[in-house]
Amino acid sequence: MKLHSIAALDLGTHSLKMVVARQNEGGEFEIVAAAQEPSSGVRKGTIVNPDEVAKKIGILMGKVESMASLPITEFVVNIGGGHIFITPSHGIVAVSRADGNVSQEDVERVLQAAQALSLESNKEVLDVIPKEFIVDGTGGLREVVGMKGVRLEVNVLALCAFSPYMKHLSDAVLSSGVGIADMVVSPLADAAAVLSPRQKEVGAAVIDIGAGTTGLAVFEEGDLIHTSVLPVGSENITNDIAIGLRVDPALAERIKLEYGILASKGKKIQKIALDNGTHFSFSQKLLSHIIEARINEIFQCIQRELKQVERQEKLPAGIILTGGGAKLPSLADFARKELKLSTKVGLPSGIVGFPEDPAFAVALGLLYRGIELQEYAPRTFLEDNPFLQRIKKVFRLFIP
């Protein structure tokens, strides 16, 4: 039995995470290496300095290759940042076969036609996600291969991004000496890790609160209906604490991690030890007020996104919170009240030895994508023009 290995690289604002899984003799995938490094060259989920990121990737590769005792040749990587956007599109083609049967080639052609969007020169279509096919005016169809018709149409959601940031990501990974097996938009990787097919069917959303961004993916009837990446995250909370308590960002981060809670009504004075042997005192009530103001802003933004697709307070399976920011105590209760939906923190699981930590949800989704690639279409994009070759059907396997 041939044993397979897959590697995932989560490029985050606060940290870069690398996870390697290998198939054991029983056929299950298990974690053989995991490491993370503080980010450098990443701002608000986008790579602004490819050289700095490449150095960090090199450090991580040295760690995981030593742990896993195998070389890393390619990664499944995420793409994040507020430059990612989604827009509806429509494609139409004539059925090509003489007998009038819709072929798989016709499906591919109509999806290609739907990518012919009029975008600004610095924007590009990553992929299109089919919403419905239409054969000779009959819509609402999911599977059309073999049906008879003259005209085939499709309504899709087109996932788009800022081309220079795409190139930065590609340059950072490829210059570290490895290939890109595939790229996945961060909220979709999150959804693959923590949402079940049943939740996607009845209606659910995943909210990934990272350091520099907050990602959202909304599903209903098994389909993605909306996704967005907001340029605000838990790093903003740290900055607010630094300003509000008049401390440096490093101490503000410590205070957030050790004492950060929501809705504290007491007047308790907290003390935190400093390196010089003294203590810094602050009001727990003031700290909670600072945190709550920023979290409230984030959920107001989420509510506006849900209103765009008329799903505010209308997701039966509720909200799943992921990302490092999801570890803030009582956040799920706060979200439940603000969004008026059932809410819980999503703990990634399903691969032996994987960290049950919401901050690793994107990494798990990337591993799942790697498993699908090995099952259906293993490939590497280290070809003559890796930048143009790097994305083919990036998202479709994540949509049931």
Side-chain angles (χ1 to χ4, degrees), residues 319-322 326-327 331-332 343-347 358:
I319 301 291
I320 308 298
L321 299 171
T322 66
K327 293 187 281 189
L331 181 63
T343 308
K344 67 178 182 179
V345 175
L347 298 177

Side-chain angles (χ1 to χ4, degrees), residues 175-212:
S175 64
S176 65
V178 293
I180 298 174
D182 227 333
M183 291 184 185
V184 183
V185 169
S186 297
L188 297 189
D190 268 303
V194 300
L195 289 185
S196 68
R198 176 61 179 167
Q199 287 172 316
K200 291 179 180 180
E201 182 65 31
V202 301
V206 59
I207 299 174
D208 174 18
I209 304 177

Side-chain angles (χ1 to χ4, degrees), residues 104-119:
Q104 184 62 42
E105 181 184 354
D106 293 326
V107 171
E108 294 298 327
R109 286 195 300 115
V110 78
L111 290 174
Q112 187 66 35
Q115 294 190 47
L117 288 171
S118 178
L119 297 175

Side-chain angles (χ1 to χ4, degrees), residues 102-231:
V102 176
S103 66
Q104 184 62 42
E105 181 184 354
D106 293 326
V107 171
E108 294 298 327
R109 286 195 300 115
V110 78
L111 290 174
Q112 187 66 35
Q115 294 190 47
L117 288 171
S118 178
L119 297 175
E120 297 176 22
S121 59
N122 58 4
K123 305 283 174 48
E124 66 177 282
V125 177
L126 301 179
D127 198 23
V128 292
I129 298 172
K131 301 295 294 179
E132 67 165 343
F133 290 96
I134 304 162
V135 176
D136 291 347
T138 300
L141 305 174
R142 298 289 187 94
E143 299 292 338
V144 294
V145 174
M147 294 184 65
K148 284 190 174 293
V150 175
R151 187 178 71 252
L152 175 64
E153 301 172 69
V154 67
N155 289 319
V156 304
L157 289 179
L159 286 154
C160 310
F162 187 55
S163 301
Y165 288 152
M166 293 289 297
K167 188 174 188 305
H168 283 175
L169 192 156
S170 178
D171 288 346
V173 177
L174 296 176
S175 64
S176 65
V178 293
I180 298 174
D182 227 333
M183 291 184 185
V184 183
V185 169
S186 297
L188 297 189
D190 268 303
V194 300
L195 289 185
S196 68
R198 176 61 179 167
Q199 287 172 316
K200 291 179 180 180
E201 182 65 31
V202 301
V206 59
I207 299 174
D208 174 18
I209 304 177
T213 61
T214 296
L216 170 71
V218 187
F219 292 81
E220 189 173 76
E221 295 183 355
D223 287 334
L224 176 74
I225 63 172
H226 186 61
T227 188
S228 178
V229 181
L230 308 172

Side-chain angles (χ1 to χ4, degrees), residues 77 84 96 146 149 177 181 185 243 250 265 365 388:
V77 301
I84 293 169
S96 59
V185 169
I243 294 170
K265 298 180 180 180
L388 296 177

Side-chain angles (χ1 to χ4, degrees), residues 161-319:
F162 187 55
S163 301
Y165 288 152
M166 293 289 297
K167 188 174 188 305
H168 283 175
L169 192 156
S170 178
D171 288 346
V173 177
L174 296 176
S175 64
S176 65
V178 293
I180 298 174
D182 227 333
M183 291 184 185
V184 183
V185 169
S186 297
L188 297 189
D190 268 303
V194 300
L195 289 185
S196 68
R198 176 61 179 167
Q199 287 172 316
K200 291 179 180 180
E201 182 65 31
V202 301
V206 59
I207 299 174
D208 174 18
I209 304 177
T213 61
T214 296
L216 170 71
V218 187
F219 292 81
E220 189 173 76
E221 295 183 355
D223 287 334
L224 176 74
I225 63 172
H226 186 61
T227 188
S228 178
V229 181
L230 308 172
V232 61
S234 61
E235 196 171 72
N236 296 90
I237 299 174
T238 300
N239 294 337
D240 292 345
I241 294 171
I243 294 170
L245 299 186
R246 298 180 178 88
V247 298
D248 65 76
L251 181 55
E253 180 72 9
R254 278 188 60 198
I255 291 172
K256 180 183 74 174
L257 295 176
E258 295 180 27
Y259 296 97
I261 59 173
L262 290 162
S264 174
K265 298 180 180 180
K267 297 181 180 180
K268 185 176 181 181
I269 300 299
Q270 300 284 10
K271 290 184 179 181
I272 188 167
L274 304 180
D275 292 339
N276 61 9
T278 63
H279 290 79
F280 175 75
S281 300
F282 59 92
S283 164
Q284 179 70 66
K285 183 177 181 180
L286 174 59
L287 175 62
S288 297
H289 176 74
I290 293 170
I291 295 173
E292 185 172 321
R294 181 61 74 172
I295 291 294
N296 187 59
E297 178 198 358
I298 291 173
F299 286 139
Q300 284 180 353
C301 292
I302 293 293
Q303 192 74 290
R304 285 196 292 270
E305 294 291 328
L306 294 176
K307 285 181 179 178
Q308 285 188 29
V309 289
E310 300 180 350
R311 291 302 181 275
Q312 71 277 16
E313 304 176 26
K314 295 179 181 178
L315 295 171
I319 301 291

